[in-house]
């Protein structure tokens, strides 16, 4: 069968700081190709809707699979699915990915018949099974992870071994348009999947059921050697949780004579525990390290269940600087912050030589914060769930909250024309998206909190976590 994989368009911040290769979609595409199907990909981060419909008209796929890794992309996916069905009613339309896995029933309802199936869990395992069922015409109700208007199939499973996966990098036409900060162009690669921590704001640990799996050094080197781009984003939620694994990969890369520039994300406690691994990667070409501090006070760390002390986090920042790499730090701005709290954070940021990223505390389906704070949501418009907008009630009037947020994020440039323009865009965006939000408010998000029976049965770990990224989940 002809299968078209579609990555949706860019989000607000992807227009400025990063535009990432859709690695998860490439991995699913290769698993589908191995099953004997013809596959094409289109990435709407770098192409437009007209190109998508031209491809539909010219190639006439039997199946269109949308990647939904981010909640904010759901409205675009629903609109495209409806337009696709209106023009080509015979096409089977499915959606998969991280966010789709937690909102499957709602996506089916919003699709109003245009979306035939939402596929929960890891797409590399489930997508070939779904296509076999579609091709045989036997119904898809028995496919693990499949959700339709008629109900839900068996729980989704995991791929047997990450070493069995290969990304279909050859299927994307505009590879040089992917970048991350100064790494331009930049490809993405996966060393591990899952996260052993349980931060309250993160859904990685609920999606993977606390599992943590590794790609072998041999497999990593094979993939890395085939990548032409000089910049590499290591998509792991926490890089080098296992020091030995990080060192073995690094030594294999050194033996292969591969020279790249790397960007990775990790935790402060992991960095301090596994210093030798990070020292090795600095020699290999590590340029930027992103540390999820999330808070600059013990109360904030407890709220987000980071399971690391403030002192250890600050020690980790000092060690990262000593490596001579660019250090980026993430903080979470809570909608409950007042003027004084913003001032304290702003003063702290101005004292730091590092890049400080400030994201807004946002309850996502699949997270613990969704359960505790979901009832307080001010909006159900998915487009605002991009960690750039406040979806919970703000202590300050909303315009003042955004003014403080932008001023704090801009550091010591509060009067620049660029900042004024950015503030203007933020002020305008909330009313603008609200004008089209009613259809998405009618049916609240109903997240599927448990993806597998085994997830809830596993014992909690005594540590803390990061954000959700990268490869795996459904047609991502």
């Amino acid at each position: 069968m002809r299968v078209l994989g579609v990555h949706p368009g860019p989000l607000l911040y992807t227009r400025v700081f990063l535009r990432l290769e859709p690695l998860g979609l490439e991995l699913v595409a290769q698993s589908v190709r191995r099953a004997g199907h013809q596959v094409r990909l289109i990435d709407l981060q770098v192409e437009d809707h007209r190109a998508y419909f031209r491809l539909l008209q010219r190639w006439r796929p039997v199946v269109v699979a949308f990647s939904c890794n981010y909640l904010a992309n759901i409205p675009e996916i629903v609109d495209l699915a409806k337009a696709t069905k209106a023009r080509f009613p015979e096409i089977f339309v499915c959606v998969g990915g991280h966010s789709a896995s937690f909102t499957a029933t709602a996506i089916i309802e919003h699709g109003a018949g245009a979306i035939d199936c939402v596929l929960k869990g890891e797409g590399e395992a489930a997508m070939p099974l779904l296509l076999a069922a579609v091709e045989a015409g036997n119904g898809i109700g028995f496919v693990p992870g499949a959700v339709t208007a008629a109900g839900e199939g068996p729980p989704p499973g995991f791929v047997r071994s990450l070493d069995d996966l290969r990304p279909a990098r050859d299927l994307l036409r505009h590879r040089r348009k992917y970048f991350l900060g100064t790494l331009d162009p930049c490809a993405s690669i996966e060393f591990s999947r899952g996260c052993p921590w349980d931060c309250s704001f993160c859904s990685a640990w609920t999606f993977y059921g606390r599992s943590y799996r590794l790609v072998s050094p041999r497999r990593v080197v094979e993939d890395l050697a085939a990548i032409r781009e000089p910049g590499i984003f290591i998509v792991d939620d926490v890089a080098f949780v296992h020091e030995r694994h990080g060192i073995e990969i690094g030594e294999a890369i050194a033996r292969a004579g591969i020279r790249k520039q790397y960007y990775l994300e990790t935790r402060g406690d992991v960095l301090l525990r596994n210093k030798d691994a990070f020292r090795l990667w600095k020699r290999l070409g590590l340029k930027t390290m992103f540390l999820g501090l999330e808070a600059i006070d013990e109360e904030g760390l407890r709220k987000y269940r980071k399971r690391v002390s403030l002192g250890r986090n600050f020690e980790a920042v000092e060690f990262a600087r000593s490596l001579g790499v660019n250090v980026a730090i993430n903080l979470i701005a809570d909608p409950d912050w007042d003027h004084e709290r913003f001032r304290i954070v702003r003063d702290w940021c101005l004292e730091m030589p590092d890049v400080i990223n400030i994201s807004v505390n946002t309850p996502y389906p699949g997270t613990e914060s969704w359960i505790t704070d979901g009832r307080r949501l001010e909006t159900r418009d998915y487009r605002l769930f991009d960690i750039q907008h406040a979806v919970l009630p703000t202590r300050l009037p909303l315009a003042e909250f955004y003014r403080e947020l932008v001023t704090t994020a801009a550091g010591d440039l509060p009067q620049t024309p660029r900042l004024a323009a950015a503030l203007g865009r933020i002020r305008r965006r909330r009313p603008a998206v609200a004008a089209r939000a009613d259809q998405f408010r009618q049916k609240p998000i109903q997240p599927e909190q448990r993806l597998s029976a085994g997830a809830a049965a596993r014992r909690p770990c005594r540590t803390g976590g990061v954000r959700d990224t990268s490869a795996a989940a459904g047609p991502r």
Side-chain angles (χ1 to χ4, degrees), residues 160-187:
R160 294 177 59 183
S161 170
L162 299 185
D163 277 6
D164 295 335
L165 306 180
R166 301 287 189 279
R169 300 185 192 274
D170 60 296
L171 294 181
L172 287 175
R173 298 192 303 161
H174 302 287
R175 295 202 55 83
R176 296 191 66 82
K177 291 191 176 183
Y178 301 114
F179 66 95
L180 175 53
T182 59
L183 299 186
D184 185 5
C186 179

Side-chain angles (χ1 to χ4, degrees), residues 24 69 109 129 142 162 190 194 206 233 251 351:
N69 200 30
E109 292 175 354
L129 300 178
F142 66 91
L162 299 185
E190 180 181 46
T206 58
F233 174 41
E251 290 174 344
E351 295 176 356

Side-chain angles (χ1 to χ4, degrees), residues 112-281:
I115 297 173
D116 297 289
C117 172
V118 174
L119 196 59
K120 297 163 63 174
E122 292 185 329
E124 301 98 334
M127 195 66 183
L129 300 178
L130 176 65
L131 295 176
V134 171
E135 193 169 35
N138 295 330
I140 59 176
F142 66 91
V143 176
V147 179
T148 69
E152 185 168 345
F158 293 135
V159 297
R160 294 177 59 183
S161 170
L162 299 185
D163 277 6
D164 295 335
L165 306 180
R166 301 287 189 279
R169 300 185 192 274
D170 60 296
L171 294 181
L172 287 175
R173 298 192 303 161
H174 302 287
R175 295 202 55 83
R176 296 191 66 82
K177 291 191 176 183
Y178 301 114
F179 66 95
L180 175 53
T182 59
L183 299 186
D184 185 5
C186 179
S188 297
I189 194 169
E190 180 181 46
F191 293 173
S192 67
R193 238 179 234 189
C195 180
W197 289 278
D198 60 350
C199 293
S200 62
F201 59 85
C202 182
S203 57
W205 62 279
T206 58
F207 182 90
Y208 293 111
R210 295 189 186 277
S211 68
Y212 184 72
R213 292 164 292 162
L214 303 175
V215 182
S216 71
R218 173 191 57 79
R219 176 67 195 88
V220 169
V221 169
E222 289 176 358
D223 193 9
L224 199 57
I227 294 175
R228 295 182 178 180
E229 290 84 349
I232 301 292
F233 174 41
I234 301 171
V235 303
D236 303 27
D237 287 306
V238 185
F240 310 144
V241 172
H242 294 172
E243 183 176 37
R244 188 67 246 161
H245 181 246
I247 291 175
E248 289 175 351
I249 291 176
E251 290 174 344
I253 290 172
R255 287 194 299 271
I258 298 172
R259 295 296 299 176
K260 302 284 187 182
Q261 295 182 335
Y262 301 94
Y263 182 114
L264 61 77
E265 304 179 358
T266 195
R267 290 171 50 93
D269 48 2
V270 171
L271 174 59
L272 293 177
R273 188 171 63 242
N274 300 333
K275 290 181 178 180
D276 287 344
F278 290 94
R279 289 189 182 105
L280 171 60
W281 276 86

